[in-house]
Amino acid sequence: MADIFDDLDSKAEELAKKIGQSYDEVFASLLQLVEGKTAEEAIEILAELNIGQALKIKQAQATSSIISAGAVGILENTFATTAPLTEPALRGLLTSVESKLSSRFTDVVGNDMRSIIVDGISTGKFPNQILKESKEKLDVLGHSVANAQKEIQAGFNQYSNSVTNAMAEKAPADTRYVYIGAYDDRTRDECIAKIDFGEGTREEVIAAFGDMNNELWNCRHKWEEASSAPIEQGYNPEKFES
C-alpha cells in the first residue's frame, strides 16, 4: 500500500519541477518584452498580456498527463468496491482537482509576476537583477517548487477523498470501511485515531470524524471498503517501530 503514496509523491515532485521551470521561462520572456521601458510603459504592456494563459500553455501537457497518471494509480490501488463510479463521474472529479491546481499555478502566479516586474522597474533595477531576484520573491509569495509539490500531493488526496465519499454514498448502508495506510513514527494523532477506530460503516465513520476524508496535507492514508482480510489490503492496526 505504501507504494502508491511513494509513487504519488514522485509524481508530485516531477510536476512541481516542471511548473517551476515554466515560471522561469515565462518570467524571462516577460522581462524581454519590457526591457528598456519605464514602469508606466511596462504596466501598459503587461496589462495587455494574459500571463496566466501563457503559464497554462507551458504547463498543460505535464499537468494533464501526470495528474491523470496519479488518478489512475489511486483507482488501481483502491479495493474493488460494491459501488463503483461511472467513468464520467470519475473524470468530473478529476477535472475539478486539475482545474483548481491549474488556476493556482497560472492565474495567481501570473498576477504576482506582473507586480514583481513593475516594482523592479519602478525602483530602477535592471532586467537581469529583476530576474535574479524573481525566484526569491515568488518563493516568499508561496510559489516555491516545494510548496507546489505539497499542493499537488494535496490535490491527489482531494481526488482520493472525493472518490471515496462518492462511492460510499452509493454503497449499501452496512458496508464497512477501514483506514488504510502507514502506522509509524510519522503518523499523525488524527490518523492514529482513525486507524484505532477499526472497521465501521459510513454512518459510524462520519459520526466519529465528521467525514470520510484523510488528513489531506502529506497524508498517506485513506478510508477504503474493508475486504475479508483488511491487513492484506494495507490496514495496519499495529505501529511499525523503525
Side-chain angles (χ1 to χ4, degrees):
M1 192 66 212
D3 290 345
I4 179 59
F5 296 113
D6 291 341
D7 183 59
L8 292 176
D9 284 348
S10 177
K11 284 181 168 56
E13 181 180 11
E14 179 186 1
L15 180 53
K17 288 180 179 177
K18 291 183 181 297
I19 287 171
Q21 183 180 349
S22 77
Y23 293 169
D24 294 341
E25 293 175 355
V26 170
F27 200 93
S29 296
L30 293 173
L31 280 174
Q32 287 181 345
L33 286 175
V34 298
E35 187 171 3
K37 307 297 182 183
T38 65
E40 184 178 19
E41 291 169 335
I43 291 171
E44 293 175 354
I45 293 171
L46 296 176
E48 296 296 320
L49 301 178
N50 189 333
I51 302 174
Q53 183 62 26
L55 288 166
K56 190 171 296 184
I57 292 171
K58 288 277 189 182
Q59 300 169 11
Q61 183 175 355
T63 299
S64 179
S65 62
I66 294 175
I67 295 295
S68 295
V72 169
I74 290 169
L75 296 176
E76 288 179 342
N77 284 271
T78 298
F79 177 70
T81 177
T82 55
L85 300 182
T86 64
E87 186 172 340
L90 291 171
R91 286 180 180 173
L93 293 175
L94 183 60
T95 297
S96 176
V97 171
E98 190 174 330
S99 296
K100 181 178 179 181
L101 288 174
S102 178
S103 177
R104 173 67 179 83
F105 300 140
T106 57
D107 296 334
V108 175
V109 178
N111 288 332
D112 285 339
M113 282 184 173
R114 182 183 286 110
S115 297
I116 290 171
I117 292 173
V118 171
D119 289 347
I121 293 174
S122 66
T123 54
K125 294 177 181 177
F126 292 106
N128 62 339
Q129 186 179 2
I130 298 172
L131 181 61
K132 183 178 179 181
E133 296 175 355
S134 65
K135 180 175 175 56
E136 181 180 351
K137 290 182 180 294
L138 286 172
D139 287 356
V140 169
L141 292 168
H143 306 314
S144 67
V145 170
N147 196 54
Q149 182 176 343
K150 291 179 182 178
E151 294 193 48
I152 295 163
Q153 290 169 330
F156 283 136
N157 275 328
Q158 181 185 345
Y159 179 71
S160 180
N161 287 336
S162 296
V163 170
T164 296
N165 280 282
M167 290 193 301
E169 195 272 335
K170 285 181 61 179
D174 61 352
T175 303
R176 303 189 72 78
Y177 298 87
V178 287
Y179 200 58
I180 300 294
Y183 186 6
D184 53 27
D185 293 337
R186 292 170 52 198
T187 306
R188 282 172 278 199
D189 290 342
E190 294 85 352
C191 287
I192 291 175
K194 294 175 182 179
I195 292 171
D196 290 343
F197 182 76
E199 293 188 33
T201 64
R202 172 177 178 267
E203 183 179 357
E204 290 169 341
V205 171
I206 291 176
F209 304 105
D211 53 41
M212 294 190 71
N213 295 336
N214 65 7
E215 293 305 308
L216 202 64
W217 290 96
N218 292 323
C219 191
R220 301 170 291 159
H221 305 85
K222 64 176 178 174
W223 287 103
E224 193 170 277
E225 183 177 333
S227 69
S228 58
I231 291 179
E232 293 180 8
Q233 74 183 100
Y235 173 58
N236 295 304
E238 301 295 332
K239 184 175 181 179
F240 174 76
E241 299 290 350
S242 58

